[in-house]
């Protein structure tokens, strides 16, 4: 057998050199594994729902031309619909009405009727007689009041509209509006002299406590003649929504 000391030195050292490279290879393998793991984490993060893939924002040439040809246009502002200064109102369901006069002829929606009767009672304790002249009116009744009376008085349509709403455009359709007179001054009923009565003075000071407001004050935005006798109820959500357009019209004109 050949002795070890007889093997050339270069040959004897070769196995030791291969063995000394093993830790380096192991380190490289570990580093590679860590790199693959990090790459996997980054890809998962980029593709998660919080970070949609960049390809989702890619637009084809044909899509680009379509987008450029259709710029975003803001919708037009909705205008207040009116005719001769009056706003459209839906006729109340008559099953929802409650009488405010003994004969049952004058009626309002239940909430408005109850507050009117409370207001009338409280005013009476102070010597004020509030008389309900007109409450709910159907579209058919308004048809007569507008066109037939216009014909009898030989009024122009625009002139008639200053004192009476066209059918479908009267607050009386809603069941929330009421014309009020003074029981101690009946001659002032439905005319501007009503503002000189004790009943009107009392309403100006107290009506808001019962959620009633004057619909057509002096120089109102709708251009309707001053009607100190015409009041409307705004004490619940439905009544506020019903008269919202009228309120908006006031703001826009001013």
């Amino acid at each position: 057998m050949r002795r070890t000391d007889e093997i050339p030195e270069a040959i004897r050292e070769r196995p030791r050199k291969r063995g000394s490279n093993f830790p380096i290879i192991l380190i490289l393998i570990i580093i590679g594994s860590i790199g693959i793991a990090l790459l996997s984490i980054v890809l998962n993060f980029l593709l998660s729902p919080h970070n949609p893939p960049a390809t989702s924002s890619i637009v084809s040439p044909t899509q680009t031309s379509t987008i450029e040809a259709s710029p975003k246009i803001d919708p037009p502002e909705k205008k207040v619909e009116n005719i001769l200064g009056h706003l459209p109102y839906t006729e109340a369901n008559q099953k929802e009405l409650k009488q405010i006069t003994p004969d049952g002829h004058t009626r309002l929606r239940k909430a408005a009727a109850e507050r009117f009767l409370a207001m009338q009672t409280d005013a009476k304790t102070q010597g004020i007689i509030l008389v309900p002249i007109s409450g709910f009116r159907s579209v058919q009744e308004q048809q007569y009041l507008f066109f037939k009376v216009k014909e009898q008085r030989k009024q122009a349509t625009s002139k008639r509209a200053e004192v009476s709403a066209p059918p479908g455009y009267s607050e009386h359709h809603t069941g929330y509006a009421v014309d009020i007179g003074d029981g101690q001054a009946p001659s002032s009923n439905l005319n501007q002299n009503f503002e000189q009565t004790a009943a009107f003075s009392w309403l100006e000071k107290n009506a808001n406590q019962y959620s009633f407001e004057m619909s057509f004050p002096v120089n109102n935005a709708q251009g309707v003649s001053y009607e100190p006798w015409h009041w409307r109820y705004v004490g619940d959500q439905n009544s506020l929504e019903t008269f919202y357009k009228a309120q908006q019209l006031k703001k826009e004109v001013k």
Side-chain angles (χ1 to χ4, degrees), residues 26-41:
L26 181 61
I27 291 171
L28 291 175
I29 291 172
I30 294 172
I31 292 174
S33 299
I34 293 173
I36 292 172
L38 290 175
L39 180 60
S40 176
I41 293 171

Side-chain angles (χ1 to χ4, degrees), residues 4 136 154 161 228:
T4 304
F136 167 78
K154 299 180 181 180

